[in-house]
Amino acid sequence: MIEISAPTLEEAYTKAALDLDASIVDLEIEVVQNASSGFLGFFAKPAVIRASIKRAMQHVDKKPDIQRKHSTKKQKVEQVKEPVKEQNKIKYEIKEGLNRLLDASCFDVALVELRVDDEDVHIKLDGADVALLIGKEGYRYKALSYILHNWIKIKYNLNISLEIAEFLKNQEEMIHKYLENVKEKINQNGKAQTKPLDGILVKIALGNLREAYPEKYVAIRSLRDGRKIIVVNEYKRSHS
C-alpha cells in the first residue's frame, strides 16, 4: 500500500495508478483527506489517499490485446478531457473565493461573469456600489486587481482581466484616445514616451503600442514615485 498526496483527488488517483502501474479501476483506494482550496489560496489542504492493487488483480499477468487496446483508447479520451476538467476546477475555486470575498465586504457588488481559458481569467463585477468599489481615481479597483493578481497568478499561473461595471472598458477607451498623440510623435520622430501611468493603464498602453509598433523597442521604465512610463525607440533591442 502506498500513500499519495496531490492537489485534487483526481490527481491523487492518477498518480497512484502510475506509481502502481495499474488502472485506477484495479486499485483499492482509501481517502484519508479531501482537498480543500482554503480561502483565496490560503490554508489549502491537499487530497491524501492510500492505494493498493486489488487482490484479484495481483495474479493477472497481462490483459488480452483487445482489452489493452480498449484501456489505451479510454486513457486517451481521459487525457483529452483533463484540461477541461482542470479549467472547471479552477473556475469553481475562483468563484467560491470571490463570492466569499464579496460577501465579507461592505459593498453591494456581485460576481456577474467569470471565464477561464488557457492563459487568462476574465472577471466581471457589478452592483449598486460599483462606484464605491472602484474608488476615487480607481484606487480601490487597483488594490482589488492587485490582490486578485497575486492570488490567481501565484496559485494558477494565470493572468486576470478585472471589469467592474464598465470601468475597464472606459479606461481602455481613455488610454487609446490619449495614445493617438503619442503615436503621432512616434510617426514623426521615430520615438516617444508616454506620461507617467500606473495600474491597469500601463498594461493597456503597453499592449496597444507593442501591437502598433512590432518592429520597435517598446518597454516599461519605472520612475522614482512608483509610476511608470512606456518608451518607444527607433530600434528593438533585447530587454528583460
Side-chain angles (χ1 to χ4, degrees), residues 74-87:
K74 183 179 179 180
Q75 288 174 359
K76 288 182 179 178
V77 172
E78 289 176 349
Q79 289 173 357
V80 172
K81 290 182 179 179
E82 189 61 31
V84 176
K85 289 172 62 179
E86 183 66 17
Q87 283 187 4

Side-chain angles (χ1 to χ4, degrees), residues 176-188 192:
H176 289 170
K177 185 174 181 180
Y178 161 72
L179 289 176
E180 290 177 3
N181 292 329
V182 177
K183 289 177 181 178
E184 285 184 11
K185 294 179 181 177
I186 297 171
N187 295 335
Q188 291 174 2

Side-chain angles (χ1 to χ4, degrees), residues 115-135:
R115 291 184 290 110
V116 178
D117 56 36
D118 293 338
E119 297 182 356
D120 300 280
V121 177
H122 306 271
I123 300 167
K124 184 172 184 179
L125 308 178
D126 209 340
D129 292 339
V130 289
L132 293 174
L133 181 58
I134 292 168

